[in-house]
Amino acid sequence: MDNMKELVTVQKPIMLDSGNFSYWKARMRHLIRGIDEDAWTAVEDGWSAPTMIMEDKSLQPKPKDRWTDSEKAASKFNSKALTVIFSFVDLDQFKIIQSCESSKEA
């Protein structure tokens, strides 16, 4: 399977509910790893937007046009994992996690 959309659409949907977390978690782990092992790494290790030290020594978000290739890749893998997670929770659960920037946080 060449792309994420194809992999997600061939999977039998399993929505998270109060009685199936262990099953849902195992399915998400395998689905996300099937998309890309680095996407699963984003879930395990977490992700945060790149930052840079300013002249006044403060830490500020790094503008996207200054991100390195590895920072862009890490962001992409985190986004892939978040997309899968968001796709397999119901509306009530989505409302709780919708503001998460990191797939680990979700």
Side-chain angles (χ1 to χ4, degrees), residues 42-88:
V43 175
E44 290 185 316
D45 295 347
W47 176 85
S48 57
T51 56
M52 58 189 285
I53 299 174
M54 305 304 285
E55 289 179 15
D56 66 357
K57 307 292 186 217
S58 65
L59 196 61
Q60 298 293 323
K62 188 183 223 182
K64 285 187 178 183
D65 63 350
R66 296 185 65 188
W67 287 12
T68 65
D69 288 343
S70 63
E71 290 169 335
K72 290 176 186 177
S75 175
K76 177 181 74 173
F77 295 130
N78 180 67
S79 293
K80 286 181 176 188
L82 269 176
T83 297
V84 173
I85 294 167
F86 287 167
S87 297
F88 291 93

Side-chain angles (χ1 to χ4, degrees), residues 2-3 18 28 33 38 45 57 59 69 74 84 86 94 100:
D2 290 346
N3 65 41
S18 61
M28 291 301 102
R33 286 180 76 188
D38 289 329
D45 295 347
K57 307 292 186 217
L59 196 61
D69 288 343
V84 173
F86 287 167
F94 178 77
C100 293

